[in-house]
Amino acid sequence: MDRFAYLLTEAQGLSREVLGGKGFGLVAMHRAGLPVPPAFILSTAACRRFLQEGEVPGLWEEVEAKVAALEGLTGKRFGQGEGGAPPLLVSVRSGAPVSMPGMMDTILNLGLSLEGVGALARATGNPRFAWDAFRRLLAMYGEVVLGERAEVFEERLSALKARRGVRTDAELSAEDLEELALGYLRHLEARGTPFPLDPWAQLRGAVEAVFRSWQNPRARTYRRIYGIPEDLGTAVVVQAMVFGNLGEDSGTGVGFTRNPATGEKGLYGEYLRNAQGEDVVAGVRTPEPLERLLDYAPGLYREIEAIAQLLERHFRDMQDFEFTVERGRLYLLQTRSGKRTAQAAVRIAVEMAEEGLITREEAVLRVEANALPGLLRPAVDRERAPKPFLQGLPASPGAAFGHAVFSNEAAERYAAQGLPAVLVRPETTPEDITGMYLAKGILTARGGLTSHAAVVARGLGVPAVVGAEALRVYPEEGRAVAEGVEIREGDLLTLDGGTGAVYLGAVPLVEAQGEALLAKLLAWAEPHRRLGVRANADTPLDASRARAFGAEGIGLCRTEHMFFAEERLPWVRRLILAATEEEEEAALSALFAFQKEDFKAILRAMDGLPVTVRLLDPPLHEFLPPWEELKAKAEAGDEEAQALLERAQALREQNPMLGFRGVRLLLLRPGILRMQLRALLEAAQELRQEGLDPRPEVMVPLVADPKEVERARALAEELFRVYGPIPFGTMIETPRAALLAGEIAPLVDFFSFGTNDLTQMAFGLSRDDAGKFLPRYVEEGLFPFDPTERLDEKGVGRLLRLAVEEGRRANPRLKVGLCGEHGGEARSVALVAPLLDYTSASPYRVLTARLAAAQAGLKEGVAAG
Ligand code: PEP
Ligand code: MG
């Protein structure tokens, strides 16, 4: 018989994939001798089976046996008070193999019935507590299992408080809570979804609801954003309840073994006195910092501190943990590797290696390379900023500036227009994930540093300020009020996620800190990197910035940007309009002077390092003013506009991206190729005369056939004969070029994969329009991820591998690089690291590429030295 349920003692040695992260952590803590309430775990296999077949053979017999075991361990009967003892109640939680905070559902106090409430009241001497436990169970169960809206329960609670004239739940009496609970019971009955008063029926309903919650939309969204596979399934943890709401000597909290925002070493966390489990995470009440325990329960604080140290030594990582104090006794309810900001990740990795807790190699592997650009996020310049108008808690560092929005829909509207938005909410729930993902910053009125908003913002790398208590948010009305100021949708706000300050309008910013630690980590990483890292840069400023980030050259210098600059555009237009050879010559020679200066500046910034210049790529009509504008001017009698309009008409294409551009344009208007290449060669010559060491390379875009390369090379050779040769290469960005790589390779010194176009053409989708449907494709599970962002291994990767192999076979001296956007995306870099000579990334992502390439090297076994 398949086995699906394990007590903590029986689960030793089972993997995280089987037990889920939560179950795995509990088993480890139990084994380390930490105080963990008795529990059993239903494996992820049970979930998968349930979702496939609708039932799991033998599961309930196993569950009954495990509950009996919990009864033995606790000396209590499930759902029934016996001999003055309180009934055994359990919590039912989901726990996927990969942490998905707040995405799945939890039910506490399960097993209570009307008789049970009485027994609990007698056993604790606290009827108020007993009814409170019951009304919480009814609300949680009502929502998660029976499908009632959470607000229905909230509204009844608020209405009761209003009738009693009290503000907080704590002011309600036992009788009030009893009335509330009975009201909930009647309500659920009336709506046709009665609450099962039988504890066993409750347990079954709850476990099945957790299984099903794997499929709920917000869990799917979270998996999509983080690339978590759909078929893992979740485990379920069933654990004996302990209570943090039995009085002032009880409470519940969340701790981190190091600060998750900054990475600073030492216990960090929050505590809510006289509160139950979810109150902290849900962010409904704002908790106090853990250090406050030092004032009134120093022994407890020391105990938590010691446990934190033990957890860290055991797991060799920064851990977060949830705990409950029941009448002065501490229990640990869960632990997992703690979510952290990019800053914290780097600091923790470096410091743990220096403490000898992990090796330097482990430190290098621990930092998510895609998060590095976030490290360089600017912060508010506190010296020069005005006084903040509002103060909250610093939940995720970095400054964010944008328009206030109050809903997912508004966040989507602003994102679609390319405008930055700051999501403002009373508190966030998993339903807000879309808005949080799209926003540049997040601001909430309630909740602490471990609330949903804070945890998710840190994971997403979005600056956030939470728990700004002076703020009142009215999402339905699209407005918020704080300190007498009304904020409406569209108003500009700046947040400082490092201090919790909120400002109206824009304020001065400063560049990011923390670079010294990053430099140290990269210094440990670099010896394992085999793949070269260059930058995509087409201005001297970008070139110097990239060089400062450690770029070893420029892998893609797009020359068209130089043509767009104000003083050049008229000449480009004259070039396009030229009716005679003389006119063309005049335009080209004016552009030549500009190009030479551009190239000199870039080669100077990259002195001693290779600079790959790509000859003109876009279709010419892109340099003309918009059609409507030309038309209006022409109609007003403007002669130049009239001429441009006619030209524009002639150049007009249905599919310009597949039209007269790239090498096609260069071959049929060779004057452009000659002008650009001569500018590059002369720029290098002049710098050499200054005693510098320029290393220009040239490549042609969009080739599809060896003949094109041959012709372009012949044109280039004419100039090489005058100025001396430089490396000549081609981009491989059409599928045909990849397929014919063996024929093309002997004609060139290098290939550079343009994976933007290669992806676009391999999929037959336009990267400019794919935004309309690609996100939905990913959401629906049709694509596992967006291939314009992360390199598609199966298709595009296959073309790439084939081209590398056949190209190298035909030309053993061939150098091979990649310069599409994927060149700065960590998983794509990892994929190509064993295959290519270099990757090329936008300047801020050079760091990501360096770290990702070193991580790939470490995994391949590239030894330091
Ligand atoms: C590419 O296609 O990958 C590339 C680098 O060129 P561009 O993005 O300029 O088309
Ligand atoms: Mg391209």
Side-chain angles (χ1 to χ4, degrees):
M1 192 181 87
D2 287 314
R3 203 173 155 188
F4 295 108
Y6 304 90
L7 289 170
L8 295 180
T9 41
E10 297 166 337
Q12 310 281 346
L14 292 179
S15 71
R16 188 183 292 273
E17 279 63 47
V18 176
L19 300 174
K22 214 165 275 172
F24 186 78
L26 283 179
V27 171
M29 289 198 291
H30 175 72
R31 176 141 168 244
L34 296 176
V36 177
F40 65 88
I41 298 151
L42 306 181
S43 71
T44 53
C47 172
R48 288 193 297 271
R49 187 83 167 255
F50 180 82
L51 292 177
Q52 270 160 23
E53 295 172 21
E55 60 170 336
V56 188
L59 182 66
W60 299 109
E61 289 75 14
E62 280 192 65
V63 167
E64 277 167 24
K66 299 306 169 196
V67 170
L70 295 193
E71 290 178 335
L73 288 163
T74 56
K76 299 174 187 169
R77 283 287 302 282
F78 181 48
Q80 290 172 14
E82 255 188 10
L88 168 65
L89 304 181
V90 297
S91 63
V92 176
R93 299 166 189 260
S94 64
V98 185
S99 138
M100 295 170 56
M103 302 311 293
M104 308 273 279
D105 303 301
T106 291
I107 300 171
L108 304 177
N109 307 335
L110 193 130
L112 264 183
S113 58
L114 288 168
E115 300 78 53
V117 174
L120 189 61
R122 282 190 299 281
T124 56
N126 190 341
R128 188 190 178 283
F129 159 76
W131 283 108
D132 192 42
F134 193 44
R135 67 100 187 166
R136 284 170 190 261
L137 168 64
L138 290 167
M140 276 187 264
Y141 200 96
E143 184 195 351
V144 176
V145 184
L146 304 177
E148 178 56 297
R149 289 180 307 122
E151 296 86 70
V152 170
F153 303 105
E154 283 297 323
E155 278 158 18
R156 282 170 173 260
L157 176 61
S158 299
L160 179 65
K161 282 192 281 191
R163 279 204 304 282
R164 294 291 179 268
V166 300
R167 277 184 44 247
T168 65
D169 302 0
E171 294 164 85
L172 293 173
S173 67
E175 290 71 29
D176 293 333
L177 293 167
E178 176 176 357
E179 180 186 322
L180 189 66
L182 297 177
Y184 285 176
L185 269 181
R186 281 192 301 272
H187 170 78
L188 289 170
E189 176 93 48
R191 114 182 239 281
T193 53
F195 174 79
L197 286 163
D198 168 28
W200 292 100
Q202 286 172 31
L203 184 55
R204 184 162 185 155
V207 166
E208 293 184 351
V210 173
F211 286 158
R212 274 193 294 269
S213 76
W214 176 255
Q215 306 278 34
N216 76 28
R218 52 194 215 224
R220 283 169 185 259
T221 303
Y222 192 90
R223 288 200 288 274
R224 173 166 54 86
I225 293 173
Y226 286 94
I228 299 168
E230 284 291 315
D231 59 0
L232 288 179
T234 180
V236 184
V237 176
V238 180
Q239 185 165 40
M241 284 296 304
V242 286
F243 296 97
N245 52 346
L246 277 172
E248 292 300 303
D249 60 350
S250 300
T252 182
V254 174
F256 290 83
T257 60
R258 301 185 190 217
N259 185 312
T262 65
E264 192 182 351
K265 192 175 163 149
L267 178 62
Y268 175 88
E270 294 177 329
Y271 186 69
L272 257 184
R273 239 189 290 187
N274 197 10
Q276 191 172 32
E278 297 306 274
D279 295 348
V280 181
V281 184
V284 179
R285 276 162 62 191
T286 302
E288 59 188 25
L290 259 185
E291 301 90 82
R292 286 284 303 283
L293 279 176
L294 283 168
D295 300 338
Y296 60 88
L300 180 61
Y301 183 85
R302 299 274 168 246
E303 198 184 342
I304 296 170
E305 207 175 25
I307 282 176
Q309 285 168 12
L310 202 142
L311 283 174
E312 209 170 76
R313 276 200 305 278
H314 182 88
F315 288 97
R316 302 171 65 246
D317 193 8
M318 187 270 268
Q319 294 292 117
D320 72 18
F321 54 97
E322 273 178 36
F323 61 93
T324 285
V325 180
E326 185 182 271
R327 293 190 162 145
R329 249 191 97 178
L330 179 68
Y331 293 94
L332 281 155
L333 301 182
Q334 82 159 284
T335 186
R336 62 187 172 195
S337 153
K339 290 250 171 221
R340 63 204 79 179
T341 61
Q343 268 103 322
V346 171
R347 179 163 179 185
I348 290 169
V350 169
E351 291 186 355
M352 282 192 165
E354 286 178 338
E355 289 158 27
L357 200 60
I358 58 175
T359 64
R360 287 181 176 186
E361 287 75 21
E362 283 175 300
V364 168
L365 289 172
R366 287 235 174 134
V367 175
E368 158 66 34
N370 277 335
L372 292 192
L375 252 187
L376 306 166
R377 237 183 277 148
V380 169
D381 184 345
R382 278 152 219 168
E383 308 281 295
R384 290 163 58 224
K387 233 176 85 66
F389 95 104
L390 178 68
Q391 183 67 42
L393 303 171
S396 176
F401 165 74
H403 301 272
V405 297
F406 297 89
S407 65
N408 285 340
E409 296 72 58
E412 280 170 334
R413 257 189 287 118
Y414 277 78
Q417 295 173 58
L419 295 172
V422 170
L423 181 69
V424 184
R425 300 286 300 168
E427 71 215 11
T428 64
T429 68
E431 269 80 28
D432 298 313
I433 186 81
T434 314
M436 300 176 82
Y437 183 56
L438 292 174
K440 297 284 177 250
I442 295 162
L443 171 63
T444 70
R446 290 200 294 271
L449 288 171
T450 46
S451 64
H452 178 266
V455 171
V456 175
R458 282 198 291 272
L460 290 171
V462 178
V465 173
V466 302
E469 301 265 353
L471 187 68
R472 293 280 166 278
V473 189
Y474 308 98
E476 306 75 32
E477 298 164 30
R479 66 189 192 98
V481 187
E483 314 293 354
V485 180
E486 189 181 63
I487 305 164
R488 293 197 157 271
E489 184 184 307
D491 290 353
L492 287 170
L493 293 176
T494 302
L495 310 178
D496 186 338
T499 61
V502 184
Y503 307 85
L504 293 171
V507 303
L509 305 181
V510 286
E511 284 303 310
Q513 315 293 316
E515 282 172 35
L517 284 165
L518 179 59
K520 196 174 259 184
L521 187 84
L522 283 167
W524 294 345
E526 287 288 76
H528 301 281
R529 175 165 69 84
R530 193 197 53 76
L531 185 74
V533 175
R534 299 193 192 177
N536 294 355
D538 39 51
T539 64
L541 179 69
D542 271 357
S544 334
R545 186 176 284 149
R547 192 167 189 162
F549 289 144
E552 298 160 314
I554 290 180
L556 173 63
C557 174
R558 292 177 165 109
T559 50
E560 50 271 17
H561 294 170
M562 302 166 180
F563 281 33
F564 281 112
E566 228 174 296
E567 70 280 15
R568 297 132 194 238
L569 207 48
W571 289 106
V572 179
R573 289 184 184 155
R574 263 176 240 181
L575 174 70
I576 296 173
L577 285 180
T580 64
E581 234 161 78
E582 290 73 44
E583 281 174 11
E584 172 159 326
E585 258 328 298
L588 284 172
S589 82
L591 288 169
F592 169 80
F594 289 124
Q595 283 268 269
K596 191 163 88 179
E597 288 317 306
D598 291 330
F599 291 145
K600 273 176 90 167
I602 289 173
L603 287 167
R604 198 188 290 278
M606 278 283 161
D607 191 46
L609 297 175
V611 172
T612 307
V613 168
R614 177 179 74 185
L615 299 176
L616 195 66
D617 186 30
L620 285 180
H621 74 82
E622 284 197 9
F623 298 101
L624 298 179
W627 184 263
E628 293 72 26
E629 188 186 317
L630 274 180
K631 202 153 172 224
K633 278 194 183 161
E635 278 164 9
D638 184 326
E639 280 183 22
E640 199 195 329
Q642 182 58 43
L644 284 172
L645 188 67
E646 280 163 25
R647 207 60 197 115
Q649 205 133 24
L651 291 172
R652 208 165 175 168
E653 295 173 312
Q654 289 298 333
N655 290 305
M657 289 311 281
L658 301 176
F660 189 38
R661 58 170 280 222
V663 72
R664 303 160 194 166
L665 180 68
L666 295 166
L667 292 181
L668 298 186
R669 308 245 353 222
I672 299 174
L673 182 152
R674 288 199 191 96
M675 178 279 286
Q676 288 196 290
L677 184 54
R678 194 158 63 82
L680 179 63
L681 294 166
E682 273 191 26
Q685 192 178 52
E686 288 175 20
L687 290 177
R688 236 173 270 123
Q689 279 158 7
E690 285 181 35
L692 297 180
D693 178 19
R695 309 249 175 119
E697 304 181 345
V698 64
M699 66 180 177
V700 284
L702 215 76
V703 305
D705 192 273
K707 260 278 178 279
E708 292 170 318
V709 181
E710 208 175 272
R711 184 75 64 87
R713 175 134 208 172
L715 286 168
E717 291 290 345
E718 289 170 20
L719 291 162
F720 291 168
R721 279 196 284 282
V722 180
Y723 296 92
I726 60 172
F728 177 94
T730 178
M731 294 191 71
I732 300 288
E733 52 183 347
T734 68
R736 194 168 188 279
L739 294 168
L740 269 58
E743 289 180 47
I744 295 174
L747 307 170
V748 295
D749 302 303
F750 65 91
F751 281 173
S752 181
F753 285 97
T755 49
N756 300 334
D757 272 307
L758 194 57
T759 299
Q760 166 164 278
M761 295 192 212
F763 280 86
L765 57 78
S766 152
R767 59 178 128 149
D768 305 307
D769 299 321
K772 292 199 175 70
F773 61 88
L774 259 187
R776 285 221 19 231
Y777 244 60
V778 179
E779 214 166 299
E780 304 261 335
L782 286 162
F783 285 178
F785 53 80
D786 177 346
T788 63
E789 180 188 319
R790 171 177 168 189
L791 193 70
D792 156 54
E793 180 172 10
K794 281 177 104 172
V796 180
R798 184 165 179 200
L799 282 169
L800 185 142
R801 247 188 295 269
L802 178 127
V804 173
E805 264 169 41
E806 300 197 350
R808 286 224 176 97
R809 202 178 307 138
N811 175 3
R813 297 208 328 277
L814 186 77
K815 278 225 160 58
V816 187
L818 183 155
C819 66
E821 281 313 296
H822 308 92
E825 195 281 321
R827 288 159 298 193
S828 314
V829 172
L831 198 67
V832 299
L835 299 172
L836 307 184
D837 295 301
Y838 66 86
T839 183
S840 191
S842 58
Y844 274 95
R845 293 169 79 187
V846 162
L847 294 171
T848 292
R850 283 171 64 198
L851 183 59
Q855 290 173 335
L858 259 174
K859 288 179 190 156
E860 272 174 66
V862 175

